[in-house]
Amino acid sequence: MPAVETPAAAADASAGELGARPARSTRPGPNGLHELSGGALLYVPDGVEPAKPAPLVLMLHGAGGRAQHSLDLARAQADRHRFILLAPASRLASWDIISQRRYGADVAAIDTALRVVFASYTVDPKRIAIAGFSDGASYALSLGLTNGGLFSHVIAFAPGFMAPGEPSGRPDIFITHGTGDRVLPIDRCSRTIVPQLKRAGYPVRYVEFDGGHTVPDTLASEAFGRL
């Protein structure tokens, strides 16, 4: 993919801060599926016009998952809603704040992948989402609140917790959780997280459904359709 100079904000991976910022690409990259260095997968649907600003979703996998799992979960939604999909991979079995109790290598790797995308595609700065399932949802909430100046939307499917650094901005938040979830029980997870977010003044759309540790297609479509 073509690379151009991309303006970057100051970043501190140890604080969960991302420095990558979108800029209009003078030589937009191609549509299709691409593998980036570090194991991240980038999918640009045919419906995305190269020179037109497009939404971007950074999709994070659950514990033990891989970038392919995130791609499988969100690819149909990318086609349906015409957004660029970036699916990075954690360095260890789960994301750094979970596996190592601190931010670091995964933040840096995500920042690098975002810089590549921003340099090669024209991304709409008002429609950038961070999303995830399970541990990926916890990480999405954590990084999303820390980087609210970058992410306009945070989408969390069955999160377990949130551990943001210094919060910034006020991203739109969508959370969904199954009432029968036995992996991350709803009472100690989303039913605890959502009131905390609302007390902090975040706009939150919260939906419970009759089911387990999964992502219903209808709710995924609603979540990504908000971009």
Side-chain angles (χ1 to χ4, degrees), residues 6 18-22 36 40 56-58 86 107-120 123 128-129 150-151:
T6 304
L18 299 165
R21 292 295 184 272
L36 308 183
L56 169 69
V57 172
L58 173 67
L86 175 61
V107 178
I110 288 171
D111 199 45
T112 297
L114 284 171
R115 289 175 191 273
V116 172
V117 175
F118 291 152
S120 303
V123 174
I128 302 177
L150 171 64
F151 298 112

mmCIF file with all atom_site columns, all heavy atoms in Angstrom, residues 6 18-22 36 40 56-58 86 107-120 123 128-129 150-151:
data_model
loop_
_atom_site.group_PDB
_atom_site.id
_atom_site.type_symbol
_atom_site.label_atom_id
_atom_site.label_alt_id
_atom_site.label_comp_id
_atom_site.label_asym_id
_atom_site.label_entity_id
_atom_site.label_seq_id
_atom_site.pdbx_PDB_ins_code
_atom_site.Cartn_x
_atom_site.Cartn_y
_atom_site.Cartn_z
_atom_site.occupancy
_atom_site.B_iso_or_equiv
_atom_site.pdbx_formal_charge
_atom_site.auth_seq_id
_atom_site.auth_comp_id
_atom_site.auth_asym_id
_atom_site.auth_atom_id
_atom_site.pdbx_PDB_model_num
ATOM 1   N N   . THR A 1 6   ? 2.155   11.119 7.738  1.00 0.00 ? 6   THR A N   1
ATOM 2   C CA  . THR A 1 6   ? 0.943   11.233 8.534  1.00 0.00 ? 6   THR A CA  1
ATOM 3   C C   . THR A 1 6   ? 1.207   12.050 9.788  1.00 0.00 ? 6   THR A C   1
ATOM 4   O O   . THR A 1 6   ? 2.067   11.688 10.584 1.00 0.00 ? 6   THR A O   1
ATOM 5   C CB  . THR A 1 6   ? 0.441   9.836  8.959  1.00 0.00 ? 6   THR A CB  1
ATOM 6   O OG1 . THR A 1 6   ? 0.259   9.049  7.795  1.00 0.00 ? 6   THR A OG1 1
ATOM 7   C CG2 . THR A 1 6   ? -0.888  9.943  9.694  1.00 0.00 ? 6   THR A CG2 1
ATOM 8   N N   . LEU A 1 18  ? -2.715  6.743  22.094 1.00 0.00 ? 18  LEU A N   1
ATOM 9   C CA  . LEU A 1 18  ? -2.420  6.531  20.678 1.00 0.00 ? 18  LEU A CA  1
ATOM 10  C C   . LEU A 1 18  ? -2.104  7.873  20.027 1.00 0.00 ? 18  LEU A C   1
ATOM 11  O O   . LEU A 1 18  ? -2.807  8.859  20.243 1.00 0.00 ? 18  LEU A O   1
ATOM 12  C CB  . LEU A 1 18  ? -3.609  5.874  19.983 1.00 0.00 ? 18  LEU A CB  1
ATOM 13  C CG  . LEU A 1 18  ? -4.018  4.499  20.518 1.00 0.00 ? 18  LEU A CG  1
ATOM 14  C CD1 . LEU A 1 18  ? -5.401  4.116  20.004 1.00 0.00 ? 18  LEU A CD1 1
ATOM 15  C CD2 . LEU A 1 18  ? -2.998  3.451  20.142 1.00 0.00 ? 18  LEU A CD2 1
ATOM 16  N N   . GLY A 1 19  ? -1.058  7.902  19.213 1.00 0.00 ? 19  GLY A N   1
ATOM 17  C CA  . GLY A 1 19  ? -0.670  9.138  18.557 1.00 0.00 ? 19  GLY A CA  1
ATOM 18  C C   . GLY A 1 19  ? -1.135  9.260  17.123 1.00 0.00 ? 19  GLY A C   1
ATOM 19  O O   . GLY A 1 19  ? -1.147  10.361 16.567 1.00 0.00 ? 19  GLY A O   1
ATOM 20  N N   . ALA A 1 20  ? -1.517  8.167  16.485 1.00 0.00 ? 20  ALA A N   1
ATOM 21  C CA  . ALA A 1 20  ? -1.929  8.185  15.079 1.00 0.00 ? 20  ALA A CA  1
ATOM 22  C C   . ALA A 1 20  ? -3.190  9.035  14.898 1.00 0.00 ? 20  ALA A C   1
ATOM 23  O O   . ALA A 1 20  ? -4.110  8.967  15.716 1.00 0.00 ? 20  ALA A O   1
ATOM 24  C CB  . ALA A 1 20  ? -2.191  6.767  14.589 1.00 0.00 ? 20  ALA A CB  1
ATOM 25  N N   . ARG A 1 21  ? -3.214  9.806  13.822 1.00 0.00 ? 21  ARG A N   1
ATOM 26  C CA  . ARG A 1 21  ? -4.371  10.636 13.507 1.00 0.00 ? 21  ARG A CA  1
ATOM 27  C C   . ARG A 1 21  ? -4.627  10.582 12.006 1.00 0.00 ? 21  ARG A C   1
ATOM 28  O O   . ARG A 1 21  ? -3.691  10.492 11.202 1.00 0.00 ? 21  ARG A O   1
ATOM 29  C CB  . ARG A 1 21  ? -4.137  12.088 13.931 1.00 0.00 ? 21  ARG A CB  1
ATOM 30  C CG  . ARG A 1 21  ? -4.075  12.290 15.454 1.00 0.00 ? 21  ARG A CG  1
ATOM 31  C CD  . ARG A 1 21  ? -5.393  11.980 16.119 1.00 0.00 ? 21  ARG A CD  1
ATOM 32  N NE  . ARG A 1 21  ? -5.391  12.245 17.548 1.00 0.00 ? 21  ARG A NE  1
ATOM 33  C CZ  . ARG A 1 21  ? -5.023  11.377 18.488 1.00 0.00 ? 21  ARG A CZ  1
ATOM 34  N NH1 . ARG A 1 21  ? -4.581  10.178 18.137 1.00 0.00 ? 21  ARG A NH1 1
ATOM 35  N NH2 . ARG A 1 21  ? -5.091  11.702 19.764 1.00 0.00 ? 21  ARG A NH2 1
ATOM 36  N N   . PRO A 1 22  ? -5.902  10.640 11.595 1.00 0.00 ? 22  PRO A N   1
ATOM 37  C CA  . PRO A 1 22  ? -6.219  10.557 10.162 1.00 0.00 ? 22  PRO A CA  1
ATOM 38  C C   . PRO A 1 22  ? -5.790  11.784 9.396  1.00 0.00 ? 22  PRO A C   1
ATOM 39  O O   . PRO A 1 22  ? -5.739  12.890 9.932  1.00 0.00 ? 22  PRO A O   1
ATOM 40  C CB  . PRO A 1 22  ? -7.750  10.408 10.149 1.00 0.00 ? 22  PRO A CB  1
ATOM 41  C CG  . PRO A 1 22  ? -8.193  11.047 11.428 1.00 0.00 ? 22  PRO A CG  1
ATOM 42  C CD  . PRO A 1 22  ? -7.097  10.767 12.427 1.00 0.00 ? 22  PRO A CD  1
ATOM 43  N N   . LEU A 1 36  ? -1.035  -6.668 7.397  1.00 0.00 ? 36  LEU A N   1
ATOM 44  C CA  . LEU A 1 36  ? -0.033  -5.683 7.770  1.00 0.00 ? 36  LEU A CA  1
ATOM 45  C C   . LEU A 1 36  ? 1.039   -6.331 8.630  1.00 0.00 ? 36  LEU A C   1
ATOM 46  O O   . LEU A 1 36  ? 0.851   -7.429 9.154  1.00 0.00 ? 36  LEU A O   1
ATOM 47  C CB  . LEU A 1 36  ? -0.681  -4.522 8.534  1.00 0.00 ? 36  LEU A CB  1
ATOM 48  C CG  . LEU A 1 36  ? -1.904  -3.847 7.887  1.00 0.00 ? 36  LEU A CG  1
ATOM 49  C CD1 . LEU A 1 36  ? -2.367  -2.680 8.745  1.00 0.00 ? 36  LEU A CD1 1
ATOM 50  C CD2 . LEU A 1 36  ? -1.593  -3.392 6.476  1.00 0.00 ? 36  LEU A CD2 1
ATOM 51  N N   . ALA A 1 40  ? -1.699  -7.759 11.901 1.00 0.00 ? 40  ALA A N   1
ATOM 52  C CA  . ALA A 1 40  ? -2.996  -7.091 11.749 1.00 0.00 ? 40  ALA A CA  1
ATOM 53  C C   . ALA A 1 40  ? -3.563  -7.351 10.362 1.00 0.00 ? 40  ALA A C   1
ATOM 54  O O   . ALA A 1 40  ? -2.827  -7.448 9.373  1.00 0.00 ? 40  ALA A O   1
ATOM 55  C CB  . ALA A 1 40  ? -2.858  -5.593 11.982 1.00 0.00 ? 40  ALA A CB  1
ATOM 56  N N   . LEU A 1 56  ? -13.994 4.092  9.904  1.00 0.00 ? 56  LEU A N   1
ATOM 57  C CA  . LEU A 1 56  ? -13.019 3.063  10.245 1.00 0.00 ? 56  LEU A CA  1
ATOM 58  C C   . LEU A 1 56  ? -13.428 2.401  11.548 1.00 0.00 ? 56  LEU A C   1
ATOM 59  O O   . LEU A 1 56  ? -13.813 3.082  12.505 1.00 0.00 ? 56  LEU A O   1
ATOM 60  C CB  . LEU A 1 56  ? -11.623 3.673  10.404 1.00 0.00 ? 56  LEU A CB  1
ATOM 61  C CG  . LEU A 1 56  ? -10.545 2.753  11.009 1.00 0.00 ? 56  LEU A CG  1
ATOM 62  C CD1 . LEU A 1 56  ? -10.188 1.634  10.045 1.00 0.00 ? 56  LEU A CD1 1
ATOM 63  C CD2 . LEU A 1 56  ? -9.303  3.553  11.395 1.00 0.00 ? 56  LEU A CD2 1
ATOM 64  N N   . VAL A 1 57  ? -13.346 1.074  11.584 1.00 0.00 ? 57  VAL A N   1
ATOM 65  C CA  . VAL A 1 57  ? -13.587 0.320  12.817 1.00 0.00 ? 57  VAL A CA  1
ATOM 66  C C   . VAL A 1 57  ? -12.325 -0.453 13.167 1.00 0.00 ? 57  VAL A C   1
ATOM 67  O O   . VAL A 1 57  ? -11.818 -1.234 12.349 1.00 0.00 ? 57  VAL A O   1
ATOM 68  C CB  . VAL A 1 57  ? -14.778 -0.652 12.681 1.00 0.00 ? 57  VAL A CB  1
ATOM 69  C CG1 . VAL A 1 57  ? -14.871 -1.556 13.919 1.00 0.00 ? 57  VAL A CG1 1
ATOM 70  C CG2 . VAL A 1 57  ? -16.079 0.118  12.491 1.00 0.00 ? 57  VAL A CG2 1
ATOM 71  N N   . LEU A 1 58  ? -11.812 -0.228 14.366 1.00 0.00 ? 58  LEU A N   1
ATOM 72  C CA  . LEU A 1 58  ? -10.709 -1.004 14.917 1.00 0.00 ? 58  LEU A CA  1
ATOM 73  C C   . LEU A 1 58  ? -11.347 -2.090 15.771 1.00 0.00 ? 58  LEU A C   1
ATOM 74  O O   . LEU A 1 58  ? -11.934 -1.803 16.813 1.00 0.00 ? 58  LEU A O   1
ATOM 75  C CB  . LEU A 1 58  ? -9.809  -0.105 15.766 1.00 0.00 ? 58  LEU A CB  1
ATOM 76  C CG  . LEU A 1 58  ? -8.697  -0.778 16.563 1.00 0.00 ? 58  LEU A CG  1
ATOM 77  C CD1 . LEU A 1 58  ? -7.636  -1.366 15.643 1.00 0.00 ? 58  LEU A CD1 1
ATOM 78  C CD2 . LEU A 1 58  ? -8.067  0.216  17.546 1.00 0.00 ? 58  LEU A CD2 1
ATOM 79  N N   . LEU A 1 86  ? -10.116 -2.699 10.554 1.00 0.00 ? 86  LEU A N   1
ATOM 80  C CA  . LEU A 1 86  ? -8.754  -3.026 10.960 1.00 0.00 ? 86  LEU A CA  1
ATOM 81  C C   . LEU A 1 86  ? -8.823  -3.966 12.153 1.00 0.00 ? 86  LEU A C   1
ATOM 82  O O   . LEU A 1 86  ? -9.409  -3.633 13.184 1.00 0.00 ? 86  LEU A O   1
ATOM 83  C CB  . LEU A 1 86  ? -7.993  -1.752 11.341 1.00 0.00 ? 86  LEU A CB  1
ATOM 84  C CG  . LEU A 1 86  ? -6.572  -1.950 11.896 1.00 0.00 ? 86  LEU A CG  1
ATOM 85  C CD1 . LEU A 1 86  ? -5.670  -2.637 10.878 1.00 0.00 ? 86  LEU A CD1 1
ATOM 86  C CD2 . LEU A 1 86  ? -5.980  -0.610 12.338 1.00 0.00 ? 86  LEU A CD2 1
ATOM 87  N N   . VAL A 1 107 ? -0.569  -1.458 22.681 1.00 0.00 ? 107 VAL A N   1
ATOM 88  C CA  . VAL A 1 107 ? -0.893  -0.070 22.328 1.00 0.00 ? 107 VAL A CA  1
ATOM 89  C C   . VAL A 1 107 ? 0.030   0.405  21.213 1.00 0.00 ? 107 VAL A C   1
ATOM 90  O O   . VAL A 1 107 ? -0.418  1.003  20.225 1.00 0.00 ? 107 VAL A O   1
ATOM 91  C CB  . VAL A 1 107 ? -0.761  0.851  23.550 1.00 0.00 ? 107 VAL A CB  1
ATOM 92  C CG1 . VAL A 1 107 ? -1.059  2.307  23.149 1.00 0.00 ? 107 VAL A CG1 1
ATOM 93  C CG2 . VAL A 1 107 ? -1.712  0.423  24.656 1.00 0.00 ? 107 VAL A CG2 1
ATOM 94  N N   . ALA A 1 108 ? 1.325   0.115  21.360 1.00 0.00 ? 108 ALA A N   1
ATOM 95  C CA  . ALA A 1 108 ? 2.294   0.530  20.339 1.00 0.00 ? 108 ALA A CA  1
ATOM 96  C C   . ALA A 1 108 ? 2.002   -0.128 18.995 1.00 0.00 ? 108 ALA A C   1
ATOM 97  O O   . ALA A 1 108 ? 2.085   0.518  17.937 1.00 0.00 ? 108 ALA A O   1
ATOM 98  C CB  . ALA A 1 108 ? 3.709   0.190  20.800 1.00 0.00 ? 108 ALA A CB  1
ATOM 99  N N   . ALA A 1 109 ? 1.648   -1.421 19.004 1.00 0.00 ? 109 ALA A N   1
ATOM 100 C CA  . ALA A 1 109 ? 1.357   -2.138 17.757 1.00 0.00 ? 109 ALA A CA  1
ATOM 101 C C   . ALA A 1 109 ? 0.094   -1.607 17.089 1.00 0.00 ? 109 ALA A C   1
ATOM 102 O O   . ALA A 1 109 ? 0.041   -1.456 15.857 1.00 0.00 ? 109 ALA A O   1
ATOM 103 C CB  . ALA A 1 109 ? 1.221   -3.634 18.035 1.00 0.00 ? 109 ALA A CB  1
ATOM 104 N N   . ILE A 1 110 ? -0.920  -1.300 17.886 1.00 0.00 ? 110 ILE A N   1
ATOM 105 C CA  . ILE A 1 110 ? -2.151  -0.734 17.338 1.00 0.00 ? 110 ILE A CA  1
ATOM 106 C C   . ILE A 1 110 ? -1.875  0.643  16.742 1.00 0.00 ? 110 ILE A C   1
ATOM 107 O O   . ILE A 1 110 ? -2.380  0.983  15.669 1.00 0.00 ? 110 ILE A O   1
ATOM 108 C CB  . ILE A 1 110 ? -3.241  -0.661 18.432 1.00 0.00 ? 110 ILE A CB  1
ATOM 109 C CG1 . ILE A 1 110 ? -3.757  -2.074 18.753 1.00 0.00 ? 110 ILE A CG1 1
ATOM 110 C CG2 . ILE A 1 110 ? -4.394  0.249  18.003 1.00 0.00 ? 110 ILE A CG2 1
ATOM 111 C CD1 . ILE A 1 110 ? -4.679  -2.135 19.956 1.00 0.00 ? 110 ILE A CD1 1
ATOM 112 N N   . ASP A 1 111 ? -1.068  1.431  17.435 1.00 0.00 ? 111 ASP A N   1
ATOM 113 C CA  . ASP A 1 111 ? -0.727  2.758  16.931 1.00 0.00 ? 111 ASP A CA  1
ATOM 114 C C   . ASP A 1 111 ? -0.017  2.658  15.588 1.00 0.00 ? 111 ASP A C   1
ATOM 115 O O   . ASP A 1 111 ? -0.312  3.422  14.654 1.00 0.00 ? 111 ASP A O   1
ATOM 116 C CB  . ASP A 1 111 ? 0.159   3.476  17.948 1.00 0.00 ? 111 ASP A CB  1
ATOM 117 C CG  . ASP A 1 111 ? 0.184   4.974  17.743 1.00 0.00 ? 111 ASP A CG  1
ATOM 118 O OD1 . ASP A 1 111 ? -0.896  5.565  17.544 1.00 0.00 ? 111 ASP A OD1 1
ATOM 119 O OD2 . ASP A 1 111 ? 1.271   5.564  17.774 1.00 0.00 ? 111 ASP A OD2 1
ATOM 120 N N   . THR A 1 112 ? 0.894   1.699  15.456 1.00 0.00 ? 112 THR A N   1
ATOM 121 C CA  . THR A 1 112 ? 1.613   1.504  14.192 1.00 0.00 ? 112 THR A CA  1
ATOM 122 C C   . THR A 1 112 ? 0.657   1.120  13.078 1.00 0.00 ? 112 THR A C   1
ATOM 123 O O   . THR A 1 112 ? 0.729   1.643  11.952 1.00 0.00 ? 112 THR A O   1
ATOM 124 C CB  . THR A 1 112 ? 2.690   0.420  14.357 1.00 0.00 ? 112 THR A CB  1
ATOM 125 O OG1 . THR A 1 112 ? 3.657   0.861  15.316 1.00 0.00 ? 112 THR A OG1 1
ATOM 126 C CG2 . THR A 1 112 ? 3.385   0.138  13.034 1.00 0.00 ? 112 THR A CG2 1
ATOM 127 N N   . ALA A 1 113 ? -0.258  0.186  13.360 1.00 0.00 ? 113 ALA A N   1
ATOM 128 C CA  . ALA A 1 113 ? -1.227  -0.246 12.348 1.00 0.00 ? 113 ALA A CA  1
ATOM 129 C C   . ALA A 1 113 ? -2.134  0.905  11.930 1.00 0.00 ? 113 ALA A C   1
ATOM 130 O O   . ALA A 1 113 ? -2.438  1.081  10.741 1.00 0.00 ? 113 ALA A O   1
ATOM 131 C CB  . ALA A 1 113 ? -2.054  -1.414 12.882 1.00 0.00 ? 113 ALA A CB  1
ATOM 132 N N   . LEU A 1 114 ? -2.571  1.709  12.890 1.00 0.00 ? 114 LEU A N   1
ATOM 133 C CA  . LEU A 1 114 ? -3.409  2.864  12.562 1.00 0.00 ? 114 LEU A CA  1
ATOM 134 C C   . LEU A 1 114 ? -2.668  3.866  11.685 1.00 0.00 ? 114 LEU A C   1
ATOM 135 O O   . LEU A 1 114 ? -3.251  4.439  10.758 1.00 0.00 ? 114 LEU A O   1
ATOM 136 C CB  . LEU A 1 114 ? -3.882  3.545  13.845 1.00 0.00 ? 114 LEU A CB  1
ATOM 137 C CG  . LEU A 1 114 ? -5.008  2.854  14.614 1.00 0.00 ? 114 LEU A CG  1
ATOM 138 C CD1 . LEU A 1 114 ? -5.208  3.521  15.969 1.00 0.00 ? 114 LEU A CD1 1
ATOM 139 C CD2 . LEU A 1 114 ? -6.315  2.872  13.822 1.00 0.00 ? 114 LEU A CD2 1
ATOM 140 N N   . ARG A 1 115 ? -1.393  4.069  11.948 1.00 0.00 ? 115 ARG A N   1
ATOM 141 C CA  . ARG A 1 115 ? -0.604  4.999  11.134 1.00 0.00 ? 115 ARG A CA  1
ATOM 142 C C   . ARG A 1 115 ? -0.551  4.532  9.671  1.00 0.00 ? 115 ARG A C   1
ATOM 143 O O   . ARG A 1 115 ? -0.636  5.342  8.744  1.00 0.00 ? 115 ARG A O   1
ATOM 144 C CB  . ARG A 1 115 ? 0.807   5.136  11.701 1.00 0.00 ? 115 ARG A CB  1
ATOM 145 C CG  . ARG A 1 115 ? 0.878   5.899  13.007 1.00 0.00 ? 115 ARG A CG  1
ATOM 146 C CD  . ARG A 1 115 ? 2.286   5.891  13.589 1.00 0.00 ? 115 ARG A CD  1
ATOM 147 N NE  . ARG A 1 115 ? 2.304   6.385  14.954 1.00 0.00 ? 115 ARG A NE  1
ATOM 148 C CZ  . ARG A 1 115 ? 2.421   7.663  15.296 1.00 0.00 ? 115 ARG A CZ  1
ATOM 149 N NH1 . ARG A 1 115 ? 2.534   8.583  14.353 1.00 0.00 ? 115 ARG A NH1 1
ATOM 150 N NH2 . ARG A 1 115 ? 2.436   8.031  16.562 1.00 0.00 ? 115 ARG A NH2 1
ATOM 151 N N   . VAL A 1 116 ? -0.407  3.223  9.473  1.00 0.00 ? 116 VAL A N   1
ATOM 152 C CA  . VAL A 1 116 ? -0.387  2.679  8.119  1.00 0.00 ? 116 VAL A CA  1
ATOM 153 C C   . VAL A 1 116 ? -1.720  2.942  7.419  1.00 0.00 ? 116 VAL A C   1
ATOM 154 O O   . VAL A 1 116 ? -1.770  3.383  6.264  1.00 0.00 ? 116 VAL A O   1
ATOM 155 C CB  . VAL A 1 116 ? -0.078  1.168  8.141  1.00 0.00 ? 116 VAL A CB  1
ATOM 156 C CG1 . VAL A 1 116 ? -0.261  0.562  6.750  1.00 0.00 ? 116 VAL A CG1 1
ATOM 157 C CG2 . VAL A 1 116 ? 1.334   0.920  8.649  1.00 0.00 ? 116 VAL A CG2 1
ATOM 158 N N   . VAL A 1 117 ? -2.819  2.680  8.119  1.00 0.00 ? 117 VAL A N   1
ATOM 159 C CA  . VAL A 1 117 ? -4.144  2.881  7.529  1.00 0.00 ? 117 VAL A CA  1
ATOM 160 C C   . VAL A 1 117 ? -4.380  4.361  7.232  1.00 0.00 ? 117 VAL A C   1
ATOM 161 O O   . VAL A 1 117 ? -4.834  4.726  6.137  1.00 0.00 ? 117 VAL A O   1
ATOM 162 C CB  . VAL A 1 117 ? -5.248  2.334  8.460  1.00 0.00 ? 117 VAL A CB  1
ATOM 163 C CG1 . VAL A 1 117 ? -6.630  2.649  7.890  1.00 0.00 ? 117 VAL A CG1 1
ATOM 164 C CG2 . VAL A 1 117 ? -5.088  0.835  8.650  1.00 0.00 ? 117 VAL A CG2 1
ATOM 165 N N   . PHE A 1 118 ? -4.065  5.219  8.187  1.00 0.00 ? 118 PHE A N   1
ATOM 166 C CA  . PHE A 1 118 ? -4.292  6.654  7.987  1.00 0.00 ? 118 PHE A CA  1
ATOM 167 C C   . PHE A 1 118 ? -3.431  7.222  6.867  1.00 0.00 ? 118 PHE A C   1
ATOM 168 O O   . PHE A 1 118 ? -3.811  8.190  6.208  1.00 0.00 ? 118 PHE A O   1
ATOM 169 C CB  . PHE A 1 118 ? -4.013  7.419  9.278  1.00 0.00 ? 118 PHE A CB  1
ATOM 170 C CG  . PHE A 1 118 ? -5.019  7.154  10.383 1.00 0.00 ? 118 PHE A CG  1
ATOM 171 C CD1 . PHE A 1 118 ? -4.649  7.275  11.709 1.00 0.00 ? 118 PHE A CD1 1
ATOM 172 C CD2 . PHE A 1 118 ? -6.326  6.803  10.090 1.00 0.00 ? 118 PHE A CD2 1
ATOM 173 C CE1 . PHE A 1 118 ? -5.562  7.056  12.732 1.00 0.00 ? 118 PHE A CE1 1
ATOM 174 C CE2 . PHE A 1 118 ? -7.258  6.565  11.096 1.00 0.00 ? 118 PHE A CE2 1
ATOM 175 C CZ  . PHE A 1 118 ? -6.870  6.700  12.427 1.00 0.00 ? 118 PHE A CZ  1
ATOM 176 N N   . ALA A 1 119 ? -2.259  6.631  6.654  1.00 0.00 ? 119 ALA A N   1
ATOM 177 C CA  . ALA A 1 119 ? -1.383  7.094  5.579  1.00 0.00 ? 119 ALA A CA  1
ATOM 178 C C   . ALA A 1 119 ? -1.845  6.616  4.209  1.00 0.00 ? 119 ALA A C   1
ATOM 179 O O   . ALA A 1 119 ? -1.518  7.220  3.196  1.00 0.00 ? 119 ALA A O   1
ATOM 180 C CB  . ALA A 1 119 ? 0.049   6.628  5.825  1.00 0.00 ? 119 ALA A CB  1
ATOM 181 N N   . SER A 1 120 ? -2.615  5.526  4.193  1.00 0.00 ? 120 SER A N   1
ATOM 182 C CA  . SER A 1 120 ? -2.961  4.892  2.923  1.00 0.00 ? 120 SER A CA  1
ATOM 183 C C   . SER A 1 120 ? -4.421  5.049  2.518  1.00 0.00 ? 120 SER A C   1
ATOM 184 O O   . SER A 1 120 ? -4.781  4.733  1.385  1.00 0.00 ? 120 SER A O   1
ATOM 185 C CB  . SER A 1 120 ? -2.628  3.396  2.985  1.00 0.00 ? 120 SER A CB  1
ATOM 186 O OG  . SER A 1 120 ? -1.267  3.196  3.303  1.00 0.00 ? 120 SER A OG  1
ATOM 187 N N   . VAL A 1 123 ? -9.747  8.513  5.923  1.00 0.00 ? 123 VAL A N   1
ATOM 188 C CA  . VAL A 1 123 ? -10.674 8.104  6.979  1.00 0.00 ? 123 VAL A CA  1
ATOM 189 C C   . VAL A 1 123 ? -11.409 9.327  7.513  1.00 0.00 ? 123 VAL A C   1
ATOM 190 O O   . VAL A 1 123 ? -10.803 10.377 7.749  1.00 0.00 ? 123 VAL A O   1
ATOM 191 C CB  . VAL A 1 123 ? -9.915  7.396  8.117  1.00 0.00 ? 123 VAL A CB  1
ATOM 192 C CG1 . VAL A 1 123 ? -10.845 7.106  9.293  1.00 0.00 ? 123 VAL A CG1 1
ATOM 193 C CG2 . VAL A 1 123 ? -9.272  6.112  7.603  1.00 0.00 ? 123 VAL A CG2 1
ATOM 194 N N   . ILE A 1 128 ? -14.742 7.189  13.609 1.00 0.00 ? 128 ILE A N   1
ATOM 195 C CA  . ILE A 1 128 ? -13.711 6.209  13.921 1.00 0.00 ? 128 ILE A CA  1
ATOM 196 C C   . ILE A 1 128 ? -14.127 5.472  15.186 1.00 0.00 ? 128 ILE A C   1
ATOM 197 O O   . ILE A 1 128 ? -14.292 6.090  16.247 1.00 0.00 ? 128 ILE A O   1
ATOM 198 C CB  . ILE A 1 128 ? -12.332 6.858  14.120 1.00 0.00 ? 128 ILE A CB  1
ATOM 199 C CG1 . ILE A 1 128 ? -11.925 7.632  12.866 1.00 0.00 ? 128 ILE A CG1 1
ATOM 200 C CG2 . ILE A 1 128 ? -11.288 5.797  14.460 1.00 0.00 ? 128 ILE A CG2 1
ATOM 201 C CD1 . ILE A 1 128 ? -10.603 8.373  13.005 1.00 0.00 ? 128 ILE A CD1 1
ATOM 202 N N   . ALA A 1 129 ? -14.327 4.174  15.071 1.00 0.00 ? 129 ALA A N   1
ATOM 203 C CA  . ALA A 1 129 ? -14.800 3.372  16.205 1.00 0.00 ? 129 ALA A CA  1
ATOM 204 C C   . ALA A 1 129 ? -13.740 2.384  16.657 1.00 0.00 ? 129 ALA A C   1
ATOM 205 O O   . ALA A 1 129 ? -12.974 1.861  15.848 1.00 0.00 ? 129 ALA A O   1
ATOM 206 C CB  . ALA A 1 129 ? -16.077 2.621  15.829 1.00 0.00 ? 129 ALA A CB  1
ATOM 207 N N   . LEU A 1 150 ? -9.651  10.641 19.627 1.00 0.00 ? 150 LEU A N   1
ATOM 208 C CA  . LEU A 1 150 ? -9.491  9.935  18.351 1.00 0.00 ? 150 LEU A CA  1
ATOM 209 C C   . LEU A 1 150 ? -10.755 9.178  17.984 1.00 0.00 ? 150 LEU A C   1
ATOM 210 O O   . LEU A 1 150 ? -11.228 9.259  16.845 1.00 0.00 ? 150 LEU A O   1
ATOM 211 C CB  . LEU A 1 150 ? -8.316  8.965  18.434 1.00 0.00 ? 150 LEU A CB  1
ATOM 212 C CG  . LEU A 1 150 ? -8.140  7.990  17.262 1.00 0.00 ? 150 LEU A CG  1
ATOM 213 C CD1 . LEU A 1 150 ? -7.837  8.747  15.961 1.00 0.00 ? 150 LEU A CD1 1
ATOM 214 C CD2 . LEU A 1 150 ? -7.019  6.992  17.563 1.00 0.00 ? 150 LEU A CD2 1
ATOM 215 N N   . PHE A 1 151 ? -11.299 8.420  18.940 1.00 0.00 ? 151 PHE A N   1
ATOM 216 C CA  . PHE A 1 151 ? -12.452 7.568  18.658 1.00 0.00 ? 151 PHE A CA  1
ATOM 217 C C   . PHE A 1 151 ? -13.763 8.306  18.915 1.00 0.00 ? 151 PHE A C   1
ATOM 218 O O   . PHE A 1 151 ? -14.006 8.801  20.014 1.00 0.00 ? 151 PHE A O   1
ATOM 219 C CB  . PHE A 1 151 ? -12.399 6.305  19.514 1.00 0.00 ? 151 PHE A CB  1
ATOM 220 C CG  . PHE A 1 151 ? -11.199 5.439  19.248 1.00 0.00 ? 151 PHE A CG  1
ATOM 221 C CD1 . PHE A 1 151 ? -10.206 5.285  20.197 1.00 0.00 ? 151 PHE A CD1 1
ATOM 222 C CD2 . PHE A 1 151 ? -11.059 4.796  18.027 1.00 0.00 ? 151 PHE A CD2 1
ATOM 223 C CE1 . PHE A 1 151 ? -9.096  4.495  19.946 1.00 0.00 ? 151 PHE A CE1 1
ATOM 224 C CE2 . PHE A 1 151 ? -9.953  3.999  17.761 1.00 0.00 ? 151 PHE A CE2 1
ATOM 225 C CZ  . PHE A 1 151 ? -8.968  3.854  18.723 1.00 0.00 ? 151 PHE A CZ  1
#
